[in-house]
Amino acid sequence: MLRSHLRRLATDSLAGAPVFPGGARTSVLRALGVHAGPGTILRSRCRFVGTDVSFGADCWVNTAVTFDASAPVAIADRVTIGPEVMIITSSHELGDSHQRARARRLAPVRIGSGCWLGARVTVLPGVTIGSGCMIAAGSVVASDCAADGLYAGVPARRIRDL
């Protein structure tokens, strides 16, 4: 328990601090168990709930991104993630009116090569985003996205082919 708290303190506070340049931050996160391929840069104030996150090569992660890695988060090569994006892998079973949030439910998230997630996108548990997708700013991705599409809205829907 203490070890996981210390790792979380290191990933969120130390590695997330703006004083580290992106390359140094990525190296610290690698040492703490986050897999990041060559050329991947993570900006400051990113938050990791768990370290079961893998980034392919040449990814760009902007500031203040939240990774709920209670289940695996797999991000392929050349993915760009805008500021304040939330990638969530945990939720709860829906209960009765006495207590709506019941048992915890975990589901992995996968993001394909070449994707671009705009500012403040939210990706919900169990979603796979196909390669080459663009997710418009502010969208909530609640279901899988087929490759090479522009998705937007709440919930996100395919707007057009790319």
Side-chain angles (χ1 to χ4, degrees), residues 85-108:
V85 166
M86 294 179 66
I87 298 174
I88 310 297
T89 64
S90 65
S91 185
H92 295 273
E93 298 293 332
L94 182 62
D96 61 22
S97 63
H98 178 70
Q99 182 181 352
R100 291 292 180 204
R102 297 302 249 175
R104 194 167 177 219
R105 183 177 50 89
L106 307 176

Side-chain angles (χ1 to χ4, degrees), residues 36-62:
T40 291
I41 302 291
L42 289 100
R43 300 287 309 269
S44 66
R45 298 183 3 242
C46 289
R47 181 169 178 248
F48 290 83
V49 179
T51 56
D52 198 352
V53 181
S54 63
F55 298 93
D58 301 315
C59 293
W60 171 263
V61 179
N62 214 318

